Amino acid sequence: MAGNAKLLHETLWDQDPELMDLIRKEKTRQIRGLEMIASENFTSLSVLQCLSSCLHNKYSEGLPGQRYYGGNEFIDQIELLAQKRALEAYRLSPEEWGCNVQPYSGSPANFAVYTALIEPHGRIMGLDLPDGGHLTHGFMTQTKKISATSIFFESMPYKVDPVTGLIDYDKMEETARLFKPKVIIAGISCYSRCLDYKRFREIANQNGAYLFADMAHISGLVAAGVIPSPFEYADVVSTTTHKTLRGPRAGVIFFRKGVRTVKANGEKVMYDLESRINQAVFPGLQGGPHNHAIAGIATCMLQAQSPEFRAYQEQVIKNARALCAGLLEKGYSVATGGTDVHLVLVDLRPVAITGARAEYILEEISIACNKNTVPGDKSALNPSGIRLGTPALTTRGLLEKDMQQVVEFIDRGLRLSKEIANVSGPKLSDFKRILHEDSTFSEKVNNLRKEVEQYSEQFPLPGYADF
Ligand SMILES: *Cc1c(COP(=O)(O)O)cnc(C)c1O
């Protein structure tokens, strides 16, 4: 092949070996490592096929039946299918709920929700980031508004009890009474217990606020019906589709339709969220929908209704519980004392290991996780814990008994980090240097990494064979 034909028709591997080599290396990393980042998963071959399909080529601004471009006959049907299946996956009636499947990801979905529900500088209240909330719930520090949510809206956090690690609902109620938020957000990125949506609803009602549930982390568990659903109580629900739900990297917003409240005189007040949310997504914040991702949503929402998917989500929780039990048995502490979901927040203060060191040594032995603040942490910059999740490992087929081996690897890694820290002293840079420069340590790390990688390689990964 030559010229433009070569550019267009040659495979990636023939045309761009430099990039292909990097993609293959990443694939090898994924196969060899134990992926325990709680927000990650391995999506299915069918979703990956949607993502690299011809749908990627099409512009379709607007909604099905109301596009700004021609040629959208099939794109319309795909988007309607994605909407219908999204409602079915959460057992929602189209009379009571609608959805928008166009958000590019979770963060833009949330910004569209705020844009739809409140004025600029409207008040919102979400779980504080160091307590397990998400940046998009309005994170700011003493000196800086970090998230655009806190730049364009006024955010006041609620928090967890520093001792029990549980959300302090009484304090939230008290704070809400003073702050009078217009939106209360029920959603987590690092919290191992189910949320009390009924209590959230009561507090929202006391303040005439919307209840917005951001189920990004838990939407797979909710679809499978293995944890309580926010839909009974929320006005609006957003989600990512690539975490426990195991679909494409994208977002969905669900909104209530029909009667919102009935006044004392019997007059019905209707919801008007549908047009507000749809217009906030487009033309408010986004342009052309990512049709390849919308197809991925359609097929993942079909999968989410299957018995196999339910069994997968049950196993995700069983594995998280086994992981938790194994860690407790080895003497580690866990925030809230346990888990009801797909993640465990390990509090490393009692064993005197910093979150940063733990994350670093585990990465060195091919176990991926992230450092995280734990309830009561003094500094958000130097967190004392790590967050471990089971969705990705469960996709690869690991079961409770395998969690015992995983706990063994984590424990050996963490013990090694203590040995190294005893020599290196408190600075992280010294810790990293000694780990690599001291041959006794580097050999121990290398040997442990080989063991982890050999173990991990036995478990299959969905997708294409080598990329
Ligand atoms: C991951 C997450 C988001 C953001 O999703 P992105 O796709 O990373 O933008 C929003 N809210 C919560 C609770 C999340 O965990």
Side-chain angles (χ1 to χ4, degrees), residues 263-334:
K263 287 188 186 167
N265 63 7
E267 192 190 324
K268 287 178 182 160
V269 182
M270 306 302 281
Y271 276 109
D272 59 353
L273 297 175
E274 180 164 10
S275 62
R276 284 161 66 185
I277 284 182
N278 285 338
Q279 283 171 34
V281 174
F282 174 85
L285 290 162
Q286 297 190 170
H290 291 184
N291 292 304
H292 53 307
I294 291 173
I297 293 172
T299 206
C300 102
M301 292 293 184
L302 179 65
Q303 289 191 2
Q305 298 172 55
S306 67
E308 294 80 3
F309 187 82
R310 188 190 163 103
Y312 161 66
Q313 300 294 352
E314 281 169 350
Q315 192 62 48
V316 166
I317 295 180
K318 283 185 199 161
N319 283 353
R321 293 217 160 116
L323 173 71
C324 185
L327 289 165
L328 291 173
E329 210 168 285
K330 294 261 183 219
Y332 294 98
S333 298
V334 162

Side-chain angles (χ1 to χ4, degrees), residues 28-36 359-369 393 396 406 409-410 445-446 448-457:
T28 307
R29 190 196 66 82
Q30 291 187 10
I31 293 169
R32 290 194 181 153
L34 291 174
E35 182 51 72
M36 302 192 76
E359 181 190 285
Y360 188 78
I361 190 101
L362 293 177
E363 166 132 41
E364 283 294 312
I365 62 165
S366 290
I367 299 176
C369 71
L393 292 187
R396 297 191 69 179
V406 170
F409 287 139
I410 292 171
V445 169
N446 287 339
L448 186 50
R449 177 172 58 239
K450 276 184 206 135
E451 269 189 68
V452 170
E453 292 188 345
Q454 268 172 15
Y455 177 78
S456 183
E457 276 175 5

Side-chain angles (χ1 to χ4, degrees), residues 235-293:
D235 302 296
V236 177
V237 177
S238 75
T239 187
T240 54
T241 52
H242 49 274
K243 297 181 183 176
T244 49
L245 192 60
R246 211 166 62 182
R249 198 163 278 283
V252 177
I253 304 169
F254 298 87
F255 43 80
R256 283 263 192 178
K257 293 168 32 174
V259 181
R260 185 177 182 198
T261 48
V262 182
K263 287 188 186 167
N265 63 7
E267 192 190 324
K268 287 178 182 160
V269 182
M270 306 302 281
Y271 276 109
D272 59 353
L273 297 175
E274 180 164 10
S275 62
R276 284 161 66 185
I277 284 182
N278 285 338
Q279 283 171 34
V281 174
F282 174 85
L285 290 162
Q286 297 190 170
H290 291 184
N291 292 304
H292 53 307

